[in-house]
mmCIF file with all atom_site columns, all heavy atoms in Angstrom:
data_model
loop_
_atom_site.group_PDB
_atom_site.id
_atom_site.type_symbol
_atom_site.label_atom_id
_atom_site.label_alt_id
_atom_site.label_comp_id
_atom_site.label_asym_id
_atom_site.label_entity_id
_atom_site.label_seq_id
_atom_site.pdbx_PDB_ins_code
_atom_site.Cartn_x
_atom_site.Cartn_y
_atom_site.Cartn_z
_atom_site.occupancy
_atom_site.B_iso_or_equiv
_atom_site.pdbx_formal_charge
_atom_site.auth_seq_id
_atom_site.auth_comp_id
_atom_site.auth_asym_id
_atom_site.auth_atom_id
_atom_site.pdbx_PDB_model_num
ATOM 1   N N   . ILE M 1 80  ? 34.084 35.217 50.220 1.00 0.00 ? 97  ILE M N   1
ATOM 2   C CA  . ILE M 1 80  ? 35.407 35.666 50.658 1.00 0.00 ? 97  ILE M CA  1
ATOM 3   C C   . ILE M 1 80  ? 36.455 34.792 49.973 1.00 0.00 ? 97  ILE M C   1
ATOM 4   O O   . ILE M 1 80  ? 36.649 33.641 50.330 1.00 0.00 ? 97  ILE M O   1
ATOM 5   C CB  . ILE M 1 80  ? 35.550 35.558 52.185 1.00 0.00 ? 97  ILE M CB  1
ATOM 6   C CG1 . ILE M 1 80  ? 34.424 36.311 52.906 1.00 0.00 ? 97  ILE M CG1 1
ATOM 7   C CG2 . ILE M 1 80  ? 36.924 36.056 52.622 1.00 0.00 ? 97  ILE M CG2 1
ATOM 8   C CD1 . ILE M 1 80  ? 34.460 37.795 52.746 1.00 0.00 ? 97  ILE M CD1 1
ATOM 9   N N   . LYS M 1 81  ? 37.060 35.303 48.936 1.00 0.00 ? 98  LYS M N   1
ATOM 10  C CA  . LYS M 1 81  ? 38.040 34.533 48.142 1.00 0.00 ? 98  LYS M CA  1
ATOM 11  C C   . LYS M 1 81  ? 37.437 33.197 47.683 1.00 0.00 ? 98  LYS M C   1
ATOM 12  O O   . LYS M 1 81  ? 38.109 32.168 47.681 1.00 0.00 ? 98  LYS M O   1
ATOM 13  C CB  . LYS M 1 81  ? 39.317 34.305 48.962 1.00 0.00 ? 98  LYS M CB  1
ATOM 14  C CG  . LYS M 1 81  ? 40.003 35.595 49.403 1.00 0.00 ? 98  LYS M CG  1
ATOM 15  C CD  . LYS M 1 81  ? 41.269 35.320 50.206 1.00 0.00 ? 98  LYS M CD  1
ATOM 16  C CE  . LYS M 1 81  ? 42.350 34.717 49.327 1.00 0.00 ? 98  LYS M CE  1
ATOM 17  N NZ  . LYS M 1 81  ? 43.634 34.562 50.056 1.00 0.00 ? 98  LYS M NZ  1
ATOM 18  N N   . GLY M 1 82  ? 36.176 33.239 47.315 1.00 0.00 ? 99  GLY M N   1
ATOM 19  C CA  . GLY M 1 82  ? 35.502 32.052 46.806 1.00 0.00 ? 99  GLY M CA  1
ATOM 20  C C   . GLY M 1 82  ? 34.881 31.166 47.863 1.00 0.00 ? 99  GLY M C   1
ATOM 21  O O   . GLY M 1 82  ? 34.180 30.213 47.547 1.00 0.00 ? 99  GLY M O   1
ATOM 22  N N   . ALA M 1 83  ? 35.125 31.468 49.131 1.00 0.00 ? 100 ALA M N   1
ATOM 23  C CA  . ALA M 1 83  ? 34.533 30.699 50.227 1.00 0.00 ? 100 ALA M CA  1
ATOM 24  C C   . ALA M 1 83  ? 33.381 31.505 50.839 1.00 0.00 ? 100 ALA M C   1
ATOM 25  O O   . ALA M 1 83  ? 33.370 32.737 50.775 1.00 0.00 ? 100 ALA M O   1
ATOM 26  C CB  . ALA M 1 83  ? 35.582 30.396 51.292 1.00 0.00 ? 100 ALA M CB  1
ATOM 27  N N   . PRO M 1 84  ? 32.431 30.818 51.449 1.00 0.00 ? 101 PRO M N   1
ATOM 28  C CA  . PRO M 1 84  ? 31.300 31.550 52.022 1.00 0.00 ? 101 PRO M CA  1
ATOM 29  C C   . PRO M 1 84  ? 31.661 32.261 53.318 1.00 0.00 ? 101 PRO M C   1
ATOM 30  O O   . PRO M 1 84  ? 32.454 31.754 54.121 1.00 0.00 ? 101 PRO M O   1
ATOM 31  C CB  . PRO M 1 84  ? 30.265 30.452 52.281 1.00 0.00 ? 101 PRO M CB  1
ATOM 32  C CG  . PRO M 1 84  ? 31.074 29.209 52.466 1.00 0.00 ? 101 PRO M CG  1
ATOM 33  C CD  . PRO M 1 84  ? 32.248 29.355 51.537 1.00 0.00 ? 101 PRO M CD  1
ATOM 34  N N   . LEU M 1 85  ? 31.100 33.444 53.505 1.00 0.00 ? 102 LEU M N   1
ATOM 35  C CA  . LEU M 1 85  ? 31.175 34.134 54.782 1.00 0.00 ? 102 LEU M CA  1
ATOM 36  C C   . LEU M 1 85  ? 30.069 33.594 55.669 1.00 0.00 ? 102 LEU M C   1
ATOM 37  O O   . LEU M 1 85  ? 28.916 33.481 55.246 1.00 0.00 ? 102 LEU M O   1
ATOM 38  C CB  . LEU M 1 85  ? 30.986 35.645 54.592 1.00 0.00 ? 102 LEU M CB  1
ATOM 39  C CG  . LEU M 1 85  ? 30.886 36.487 55.878 1.00 0.00 ? 102 LEU M CG  1
ATOM 40  C CD1 . LEU M 1 85  ? 32.211 36.473 56.634 1.00 0.00 ? 102 LEU M CD1 1
ATOM 41  C CD2 . LEU M 1 85  ? 30.465 37.925 55.545 1.00 0.00 ? 102 LEU M CD2 1
ATOM 42  N N   . LYS M 1 86  ? 30.415 33.246 56.897 1.00 0.00 ? 103 LYS M N   1
ATOM 43  C CA  . LYS M 1 86  ? 29.427 32.757 57.860 1.00 0.00 ? 103 LYS M CA  1
ATOM 44  C C   . LYS M 1 86  ? 29.406 33.705 59.047 1.00 0.00 ? 103 LYS M C   1
ATOM 45  O O   . LYS M 1 86  ? 30.390 33.842 59.769 1.00 0.00 ? 103 LYS M O   1
ATOM 46  C CB  . LYS M 1 86  ? 29.756 31.336 58.320 1.00 0.00 ? 103 LYS M CB  1
ATOM 47  C CG  . LYS M 1 86  ? 28.698 30.756 59.259 1.00 0.00 ? 103 LYS M CG  1
ATOM 48  C CD  . LYS M 1 86  ? 29.015 29.311 59.631 1.00 0.00 ? 103 LYS M CD  1
ATOM 49  C CE  . LYS M 1 86  ? 27.931 28.722 60.530 1.00 0.00 ? 103 LYS M CE  1
ATOM 50  N NZ  . LYS M 1 86  ? 28.238 27.307 60.899 1.00 0.00 ? 103 LYS M NZ  1
ATOM 51  N N   . VAL M 1 87  ? 28.272 34.370 59.243 1.00 0.00 ? 104 VAL M N   1
ATOM 52  C CA  . VAL M 1 87  ? 28.117 35.329 60.328 1.00 0.00 ? 104 VAL M CA  1
ATOM 53  C C   . VAL M 1 87  ? 27.395 34.665 61.496 1.00 0.00 ? 104 VAL M C   1
ATOM 54  O O   . VAL M 1 87  ? 26.241 34.251 61.369 1.00 0.00 ? 104 VAL M O   1
ATOM 55  C CB  . VAL M 1 87  ? 27.334 36.573 59.868 1.00 0.00 ? 104 VAL M CB  1
ATOM 56  C CG1 . VAL M 1 87  ? 27.065 37.502 61.047 1.00 0.00 ? 104 VAL M CG1 1
ATOM 57  C CG2 . VAL M 1 87  ? 28.095 37.323 58.775 1.00 0.00 ? 104 VAL M CG2 1
ATOM 58  N N   . LEU M 1 88  ? 28.077 34.545 62.611 1.00 0.00 ? 105 LEU M N   1
ATOM 59  C CA  . LEU M 1 88  ? 27.456 34.072 63.848 1.00 0.00 ? 105 LEU M CA  1
ATOM 60  C C   . LEU M 1 88  ? 26.996 35.286 64.635 1.00 0.00 ? 105 LEU M C   1
ATOM 61  O O   . LEU M 1 88  ? 27.698 36.307 64.672 1.00 0.00 ? 105 LEU M O   1
ATOM 62  C CB  . LEU M 1 88  ? 28.454 33.269 64.678 1.00 0.00 ? 105 LEU M CB  1
ATOM 63  C CG  . LEU M 1 88  ? 29.130 32.085 63.982 1.00 0.00 ? 105 LEU M CG  1
ATOM 64  C CD1 . LEU M 1 88  ? 30.102 31.406 64.939 1.00 0.00 ? 105 LEU M CD1 1
ATOM 65  C CD2 . LEU M 1 88  ? 28.086 31.092 63.490 1.00 0.00 ? 105 LEU M CD2 1
ATOM 66  N N   . THR M 1 89  ? 25.843 35.212 65.261 1.00 0.00 ? 106 THR M N   1
ATOM 67  C CA  . THR M 1 89  ? 25.306 36.368 65.976 1.00 0.00 ? 106 THR M CA  1
ATOM 68  C C   . THR M 1 89  ? 25.034 36.020 67.429 1.00 0.00 ? 106 THR M C   1
ATOM 69  O O   . THR M 1 89  ? 24.811 34.867 67.779 1.00 0.00 ? 106 THR M O   1
ATOM 70  C CB  . THR M 1 89  ? 24.011 36.869 65.316 1.00 0.00 ? 106 THR M CB  1
ATOM 71  O OG1 . THR M 1 89  ? 23.017 35.846 65.373 1.00 0.00 ? 106 THR M OG1 1
ATOM 72  C CG2 . THR M 1 89  ? 24.252 37.257 63.864 1.00 0.00 ? 106 THR M CG2 1
ATOM 73  N N   . CYS M 1 90  ? 25.052 37.059 68.259 1.00 0.00 ? 107 CYS M N   1
ATOM 74  C CA  . CYS M 1 90  ? 24.854 36.859 69.691 1.00 0.00 ? 107 CYS M CA  1
ATOM 75  C C   . CYS M 1 90  ? 24.147 38.084 70.273 1.00 0.00 ? 107 CYS M C   1
ATOM 76  O O   . CYS M 1 90  ? 24.507 39.218 69.965 1.00 0.00 ? 107 CYS M O   1
ATOM 77  C CB  . CYS M 1 90  ? 26.206 36.641 70.373 1.00 0.00 ? 107 CYS M CB  1
ATOM 78  S SG  . CYS M 1 90  ? 26.094 36.070 72.078 1.00 0.00 ? 107 CYS M SG  1
ATOM 79  N N   . ASN M 1 91  ? 23.150 37.858 71.092 1.00 0.00 ? 108 ASN M N   1
ATOM 80  C CA  . ASN M 1 91  ? 22.416 38.930 71.754 1.00 0.00 ? 108 ASN M CA  1
ATOM 81  C C   . ASN M 1 91  ? 23.064 39.207 73.108 1.00 0.00 ? 108 ASN M C   1
ATOM 82  O O   . ASN M 1 91  ? 22.985 38.382 74.016 1.00 0.00 ? 108 ASN M O   1
ATOM 83  C CB  . ASN M 1 91  ? 20.952 38.522 71.941 1.00 0.00 ? 108 ASN M CB  1
ATOM 84  C CG  . ASN M 1 91  ? 20.114 39.615 72.589 1.00 0.00 ? 108 ASN M CG  1
ATOM 85  O OD1 . ASN M 1 91  ? 20.593 40.713 72.855 1.00 0.00 ? 108 ASN M OD1 1
ATOM 86  N ND2 . ASN M 1 91  ? 18.857 39.305 72.842 1.00 0.00 ? 108 ASN M ND2 1
ATOM 87  N N   . GLU M 1 92  ? 23.702 40.371 73.248 1.00 0.00 ? 109 GLU M N   1
ATOM 88  C CA  . GLU M 1 92  ? 24.367 40.664 74.513 1.00 0.00 ? 109 GLU M CA  1
ATOM 89  C C   . GLU M 1 92  ? 23.466 41.410 75.502 1.00 0.00 ? 109 GLU M C   1
ATOM 90  O O   . GLU M 1 92  ? 23.857 41.677 76.642 1.00 0.00 ? 109 GLU M O   1
ATOM 91  C CB  . GLU M 1 92  ? 25.685 41.408 74.277 1.00 0.00 ? 109 GLU M CB  1
ATOM 92  C CG  . GLU M 1 92  ? 25.594 42.756 73.629 1.00 0.00 ? 109 GLU M CG  1
ATOM 93  C CD  . GLU M 1 92  ? 25.441 43.879 74.646 1.00 0.00 ? 109 GLU M CD  1
ATOM 94  O OE1 . GLU M 1 92  ? 26.412 44.281 75.262 1.00 0.00 ? 109 GLU M OE1 1
ATOM 95  O OE2 . GLU M 1 92  ? 24.294 44.359 74.766 1.00 0.00 ? 109 GLU M OE2 1
ATOM 96  N N   . LYS M 1 93  ? 22.252 41.739 75.087 1.00 0.00 ? 110 LYS M N   1
ATOM 97  C CA  . LYS M 1 93  ? 21.153 42.176 75.960 1.00 0.00 ? 110 LYS M CA  1
ATOM 98  C C   . LYS M 1 93  ? 21.442 43.396 76.842 1.00 0.00 ? 110 LYS M C   1
ATOM 99  O O   . LYS M 1 93  ? 20.759 43.601 77.841 1.00 0.00 ? 110 LYS M O   1
ATOM 100 C CB  . LYS M 1 93  ? 20.721 41.017 76.871 1.00 0.00 ? 110 LYS M CB  1
ATOM 101 C CG  . LYS M 1 93  ? 20.273 39.775 76.128 1.00 0.00 ? 110 LYS M CG  1
ATOM 102 C CD  . LYS M 1 93  ? 19.878 38.672 77.093 1.00 0.00 ? 110 LYS M CD  1
ATOM 103 C CE  . LYS M 1 93  ? 19.457 37.417 76.343 1.00 0.00 ? 110 LYS M CE  1
ATOM 104 N NZ  . LYS M 1 93  ? 19.102 36.319 77.285 1.00 0.00 ? 110 LYS M NZ  1
ATOM 105 N N   . ASN M 1 94  ? 22.436 44.201 76.472 1.00 0.00 ? 111 ASN M N   1
ATOM 106 C CA  . ASN M 1 94  ? 22.834 45.324 77.333 1.00 0.00 ? 111 ASN M CA  1
ATOM 107 C C   . ASN M 1 94  ? 23.249 44.848 78.717 1.00 0.00 ? 111 ASN M C   1
ATOM 108 O O   . ASN M 1 94  ? 23.046 45.534 79.722 1.00 0.00 ? 111 ASN M O   1
ATOM 109 C CB  . ASN M 1 94  ? 21.700 46.353 77.457 1.00 0.00 ? 111 ASN M CB  1
ATOM 110 C CG  . ASN M 1 94  ? 21.744 47.390 76.373 1.00 0.00 ? 111 ASN M CG  1
ATOM 111 O OD1 . ASN M 1 94  ? 22.810 47.805 75.939 1.00 0.00 ? 111 ASN M OD1 1
ATOM 112 N ND2 . ASN M 1 94  ? 20.577 47.807 75.902 1.00 0.00 ? 111 ASN M ND2 1
ATOM 113 N N   . ASP M 1 95  ? 23.837 43.665 78.771 1.00 0.00 ? 112 ASP M N   1
ATOM 114 C CA  . ASP M 1 95  ? 24.222 43.041 80.037 1.00 0.00 ? 112 ASP M CA  1
ATOM 115 C C   . ASP M 1 95  ? 25.701 42.644 79.940 1.00 0.00 ? 112 ASP M C   1
ATOM 116 O O   . ASP M 1 95  ? 26.067 41.825 79.093 1.00 0.00 ? 112 ASP M O   1
ATOM 117 C CB  . ASP M 1 95  ? 23.357 41.808 80.288 1.00 0.00 ? 112 ASP M CB  1
ATOM 118 C CG  . ASP M 1 95  ? 23.644 41.133 81.617 1.00 0.00 ? 112 ASP M CG  1
ATOM 119 O OD1 . ASP M 1 95  ? 24.782 41.234 82.120 1.00 0.00 ? 112 ASP M OD1 1
ATOM 120 O OD2 . ASP M 1 95  ? 22.732 40.479 82.156 1.00 0.00 ? 112 ASP M OD2 1
ATOM 121 N N   . PRO M 1 96  ? 26.569 43.214 80.765 1.00 0.00 ? 113 PRO M N   1
ATOM 122 C CA  . PRO M 1 96  ? 27.997 42.880 80.692 1.00 0.00 ? 113 PRO M CA  1
ATOM 123 C C   . PRO M 1 96  ? 28.278 41.387 80.803 1.00 0.00 ? 113 PRO M C   1
ATOM 124 O O   . PRO M 1 96  ? 29.194 40.874 80.146 1.00 0.00 ? 113 PRO M O   1
ATOM 125 C CB  . PRO M 1 96  ? 28.596 43.653 81.871 1.00 0.00 ? 113 PRO M CB  1
ATOM 126 C CG  . PRO M 1 96  ? 27.666 44.806 82.075 1.00 0.00 ? 113 PRO M CG  1
ATOM 127 C CD  . PRO M 1 96  ? 26.299 44.260 81.775 1.00 0.00 ? 113 PRO M CD  1
ATOM 128 N N   . ASP M 1 97  ? 27.497 40.686 81.620 1.00 0.00 ? 114 ASP M N   1
ATOM 129 C CA  . ASP M 1 97  ? 27.695 39.239 81.749 1.00 0.00 ? 114 ASP M CA  1
ATOM 130 C C   . ASP M 1 97  ? 27.405 38.529 80.433 1.00 0.00 ? 114 ASP M C   1
ATOM 131 O O   . ASP M 1 97  ? 28.117 37.597 80.036 1.00 0.00 ? 114 ASP M O   1
ATOM 132 C CB  . ASP M 1 97  ? 26.800 38.664 82.850 1.00 0.00 ? 114 ASP M CB  1
ATOM 133 C CG  . ASP M 1 97  ? 27.230 39.106 84.238 1.00 0.00 ? 114 ASP M CG  1
ATOM 134 O OD1 . ASP M 1 97  ? 28.403 39.477 84.399 1.00 0.00 ? 114 ASP M OD1 1
ATOM 135 O OD2 . ASP M 1 97  ? 26.374 39.098 85.151 1.00 0.00 ? 114 ASP M OD2 1
ATOM 136 N N   . GLU M 1 98  ? 26.362 38.970 79.752 1.00 0.00 ? 115 GLU M N   1
ATOM 137 C CA  . GLU M 1 98  ? 26.001 38.361 78.466 1.00 0.00 ? 115 GLU M CA  1
ATOM 138 C C   . GLU M 1 98  ? 27.022 38.720 77.393 1.00 0.00 ? 115 GLU M C   1
ATOM 139 O O   . GLU M 1 98  ? 27.355 37.904 76.528 1.00 0.00 ? 115 GLU M O   1
ATOM 140 C CB  . GLU M 1 98  ? 24.598 38.800 78.038 1.00 0.00 ? 115 GLU M CB  1
ATOM 141 C CG  . GLU M 1 98  ? 23.495 38.388 78.990 1.00 0.00 ? 115 GLU M CG  1
ATOM 142 C CD  . GLU M 1 98  ? 23.345 36.878 79.096 1.00 0.00 ? 115 GLU M CD  1
ATOM 143 O OE1 . GLU M 1 98  ? 23.693 36.163 78.135 1.00 0.00 ? 115 GLU M OE1 1
ATOM 144 O OE2 . GLU M 1 98  ? 22.873 36.413 80.150 1.00 0.00 ? 115 GLU M OE2 1
ATOM 145 N N   . ALA M 1 99  ? 27.552 39.951 77.433 1.00 0.00 ? 116 ALA M N   1
ATOM 146 C CA  . ALA M 1 99  ? 28.590 40.347 76.479 1.00 0.00 ? 116 ALA M CA  1
ATOM 147 C C   . ALA M 1 99  ? 29.827 39.479 76.660 1.00 0.00 ? 116 ALA M C   1
ATOM 148 O O   . ALA M 1 99  ? 30.472 39.070 75.681 1.00 0.00 ? 116 ALA M O   1
ATOM 149 C CB  . ALA M 1 99  ? 28.939 41.822 76.669 1.00 0.00 ? 116 ALA M CB  1
ATOM 150 N N   . GLU M 1 100 ? 30.155 39.174 77.907 1.00 0.00 ? 117 GLU M N   1
ATOM 151 C CA  . GLU M 1 100 ? 31.288 38.308 78.192 1.00 0.00 ? 117 GLU M CA  1
ATOM 152 C C   . GLU M 1 100 ? 31.048 36.906 77.628 1.00 0.00 ? 117 GLU M C   1
ATOM 153 O O   . GLU M 1 100 ? 31.952 36.281 77.068 1.00 0.00 ? 117 GLU M O   1
ATOM 154 C CB  . GLU M 1 100 ? 31.515 38.249 79.690 1.00 0.00 ? 117 GLU M CB  1
ATOM 155 C CG  . GLU M 1 100 ? 32.786 37.536 80.096 1.00 0.00 ? 117 GLU M CG  1
ATOM 156 C CD  . GLU M 1 100 ? 33.077 37.669 81.579 1.00 0.00 ? 117 GLU M CD  1
ATOM 157 O OE1 . GLU M 1 100 ? 33.245 38.825 82.037 1.00 0.00 ? 117 GLU M OE1 1
ATOM 158 O OE2 . GLU M 1 100 ? 33.117 36.637 82.271 1.00 0.00 ? 117 GLU M OE2 1
ATOM 159 N N   . LYS M 1 101 ? 29.824 36.418 77.764 1.00 0.00 ? 118 LYS M N   1
ATOM 160 C CA  . LYS M 1 101 ? 29.482 35.100 77.218 1.00 0.00 ? 118 LYS M CA  1
ATOM 161 C C   . LYS M 1 101 ? 29.612 35.097 75.691 1.00 0.00 ? 118 LYS M C   1
ATOM 162 O O   . LYS M 1 101 ? 30.057 34.114 75.095 1.00 0.00 ? 118 LYS M O   1
ATOM 163 C CB  . LYS M 1 101 ? 28.067 34.702 77.622 1.00 0.00 ? 118 LYS M CB  1
ATOM 164 C CG  . LYS M 1 101 ? 27.901 34.394 79.103 1.00 0.00 ? 118 LYS M CG  1
ATOM 165 C CD  . LYS M 1 101 ? 26.448 34.055 79.411 1.00 0.00 ? 118 LYS M CD  1
ATOM 166 C CE  . LYS M 1 101 ? 26.226 33.823 80.901 1.00 0.00 ? 118 LYS M CE  1
ATOM 167 N NZ  . LYS M 1 101 ? 24.798 33.549 81.195 1.00 0.00 ? 118 LYS M NZ  1
#
Side-chain angles (χ1 to χ4, degrees):
I97 305 293
K98 300 180 69 175
L102 173 67
K103 184 177 182 180
V104 175
L105 305 179
T106 62
C107 191
N108 182 3
E109 63 90 78
K110 302 179 181 179
N111 272 324
D112 183 332
D114 291 338
E115 298 296 333
E117 188 172 299
K118 291 178 183 178

